[in-house]
Amino acid sequence: MATDSFKIKNSLNIQPIAGAAPTAEGDIAYNLTTKKASLHNGTTASPLVTEAHTATLTNKTFDADGAGNSISNIENADIKTGAAIALNKLAATTASRALVSDGSGVIVPATTTATEIGYVNGVTSSIQTQLNNLAASASNSYEITNLGLATSVGSSALTIALKQADGSSDPSTGTAAVKVGMRSSTATSGLYNQRSATAATSLVISSGSTLGQASNQPAVIWIYLIDNAGTLELAASGTVFHENQLISTTAEGGAGAADSATVMYSTTARSNVPFRLVGKLVNTQTTAGTWASAGTSLQVGIFGTLVGFVQPTVQKFTSGTGTYVTPAGARHIRVRLIGGGGGGGPGGTGSYGSATAGGNTTFGSTIVVGNGGSQGVGAAAVGGAGGSASLGSGAVGTVLSGGTGHGGGFSSSAAFAGGAGASSPFGAGGPGTRGAAGAAVANTGTGGGGGGCDVATNNLGGCGGGAGGYCDAIIINPAATYAYAVGAAGSGGSAGTSGYAGGNGGSGYIEVTEYYN
């Protein structure tokens, strides 16, 4: 290697050393191959740093604050791995905030505070999963969560659809599920299950199916969810069923045959399943079974909210015939009625006219019946017999046959009074007197009093009329309408010779009390 050497002596006295590398302290050499000069420090020769040559600096201190000094083009590769640069040397951001990257990937302060970050301290798994498990553990037997309903009509059919709480989104998985607490499917068990609907669910009430509604009459459709071995299905009925039981449903059928107000209908018949009341739909159809209206009121909630307490209402019928209409929402009705009372028999010595019996009072033709009391006659030991009473299918309660009127009599030596009419639960019968008999009070179903006779020889006192039969009945899950007839009062017999006419009986009566909870 060709090298020209110089030696520095006596303060910058440089002498060339031909052909020799620097070997002693102070020797300077120029390498013709590397084009670098080197200086011997007494131990080793090191290249001298020049402006244009590449070199690695060691044992140097660079003062960036020195006058005229600067450093440029430093990048990530220039930073030593594990340099452990102190955070306090970075620019400060907003105090006590979490750090996130913005849209450009630059670290910026978030709106989340350090306190809020502290709330997740100790989390060991997915927070959402834990929240879901909290929701599951917080469930209860009466839970109804994220539930909504929607109704629509088309092709004269009514569709009831299960929705999320927004009323439009179908149930789905996770937080979009509709959750309902259900009693156990074992009647003797006190356990309950939390059931979830996670897919679209609906029930169609087909064209022609009335659910027991009458045309042009407001009616309530009660909407239920049934638990088919863990799968929630919709059902509907014109009747409120208490949730402390299992129920068997009837298939709606899709052929317009779901016509009973006392049956719960579902798409497919289910046997002995748990159920929950979840909705109440009020509507009026111009033609029952032709579903043209989706309803005037739709409400969701739990049993107590939907049924609640409503003051009972009363309808009274005092004469004639007609049609009783069950009010919307009435769960059961109490029917108290009595047949017409028989007329009182006439008094006198002869040539008197006969009294007549009271008319029959009916509700629903044969469901609740109070027959009229028999009329009293002339002198007899026993007055007119009371009317019988009966209950037909669908009604339970008390029936009482009407009381028998008091007897008249005969005397050959003194004036004689007629017998009193039979009393009823609604009042006393017409009085019997020696003179004109007393008429019974209207709408009491009591018998008219017998007429008297005011002569002292061969006189006859009329017998009192019998009372109508009495009923006090409860009809659970009433039909939309019932035909009714109020029994007329029996007429008193016309007076005989030297006697007085019998009194008219009391007309029949119907009282219907409607209960809503």
Side-chain angles (χ1 to χ4, degrees):
M1 174 179 70
T3 302
D4 292 328
S5 299
F6 301 87
K7 179 178 289 186
I8 300 175
K9 289 184 177 182
N10 298 323
S11 300
L12 301 178
N13 182 20
I14 302 174
Q15 296 180 0
I17 301 176
T23 58
E25 183 178 0
D27 287 350
I28 298 175
Y30 179 75
N31 190 315
L32 296 176
T33 300
T34 63
K35 307 301 182 182
K36 291 182 179 182
S38 60
L39 172 67
H40 200 289
N41 62 4
T43 301
T44 183
S46 299
L48 296 175
V49 177
T50 61
E51 184 176 295
H53 289 122
T54 300
T56 300
L57 300 179
T58 59
N59 300 319
K60 305 297 185 292
T61 299
F62 186 87
D63 185 1
D65 294 331
N69 292 343
S70 65
I71 301 175
S72 62
N73 298 323
I74 295 177
E75 57 186 24
N76 184 64
D78 300 324
I79 307 299
K80 177 181 178 180
T81 301
I85 297 173
L87 291 177
N88 60 8
K89 293 186 177 181
L90 300 178
T93 65
T94 305
S96 301
R97 294 290 182 86
L99 298 179
V100 297
S101 59
D102 63 12
S104 300
V106 178
I107 294 177
V108 295
T111 57
T112 305
T113 67
T115 300
E116 292 168 337
I117 289 293
Y119 293 152
V120 300
N121 182 45
V123 172
T124 58
S125 63
S126 166
I127 294 177
Q128 187 60 58
T129 299
Q130 293 186 58
L131 289 174
N132 291 343
N133 293 335
L134 285 169
S137 63
S139 68
N140 49 61
S141 60
Y142 53 87
E143 175 191 18
I144 295 180
T145 303
N146 193 32
L147 184 145
L149 293 168
T151 58
S152 60
V153 292
S155 301
S156 299
L158 172 69
T159 298
I160 303 170
L162 181 64
K163 299 293 183 180
Q164 294 186 51
D166 61 9
S168 59
S169 301
D170 289 329
S172 187
T173 56
T175 58
V178 173
K179 297 183 178 181
V180 179
M182 286 282 184
R183 62 149 296 140
S184 170
S185 58
T186 301
T188 56
S189 172
L191 301 179
Y192 74 92
N193 298 302
Q194 184 194 59
R195 302 305 193 194
S196 297
T198 58
T201 303
S202 63
L203 170 67
V204 176
I205 307 300
S206 59
S207 176
S209 292
T210 66
L211 298 184
Q213 288 184 296
S215 299
N216 291 310
Q217 297 294 336
V220 173
I221 297 175
W222 301 99
I223 302 171
Y224 299 88
L225 281 173
I226 60 176
D227 180 6
N228 176 32
T231 299
L232 292 177
E233 299 174 352
L234 281 165
S237 178
T239 294
V240 171
F241 294 95
H242 284 276
E243 298 167 347
N244 59 350
Q245 59 182 312
L246 302 177
I247 199 164
S248 293
T249 67
T250 297
E252 196 284 334
D259 295 329
S260 174
T262 61
V263 172
M264 186 184 294
Y265 293 99
S266 56
T267 301
T268 304
R270 304 299 181 191
S271 179
N272 295 319
V273 293
F275 65 95
R276 288 291 303 278
L277 176 66
V278 296
K280 176 182 179 181
L281 174 65
V282 179
N283 64 37
T284 302
Q285 302 302 327
T286 302
T287 302
T290 300
W291 300 94
S293 168
T296 56
S297 172
L298 177 62
Q299 181 182 358
V300 299
I302 61 175
F303 188 96
T305 301
L306 295 173
V307 178
F309 175 80
V310 180
Q311 187 72 25
T313 54
V314 178
Q315 295 188 56
K316 301 175 182 179
F317 305 95
T318 58
S319 63
T321 61
T323 300
Y324 165 83
V325 177
T326 304
R331 291 179 49 218
H332 68 274
I333 57 176
R334 179 189 182 192
V335 181
R336 298 174 68 217
L337 62 73
I338 193 166
T349 59
S351 301
Y352 48 77
S354 298
T356 62
N360 299 335
T361 297
T362 61
F363 186 86
S365 298
T366 60
I367 296 176
V368 187
V369 176
N371 291 315
S374 298
Q375 68 273 27
V377 296
V382 179
S388 61
S390 64
L391 298 179
S393 176
V396 295
T398 300
V399 295
L400 297 173
S401 294
T404 300
H406 290 254
F410 168 78
S411 174
S412 60
S413 59
F416 205 90
S423 298
S424 79
F426 293 105
T433 67
R434 291 184 179 181
V441 177
N443 301 125
T444 62
T446 56
C453 183
D454 61 1
V455 297
T457 304
N458 297 326
N459 60 71
L460 303 172
C463 297
Y470 170 79
C471 297
D472 187 345
I474 297 293
I475 299 177
I476 305 296
N477 304 323
T481 61
Y482 293 95
Y484 72 84
V486 178
S491 299
S494 58
T497 304
S498 301
Y500 295 92
N504 293 333
S507 52
Y509 177 68
I510 300 175
E511 177 184 281
V512 183
T513 304
E514 297 123 355
Y515 297 89
Y516 301 88
N517 57 324

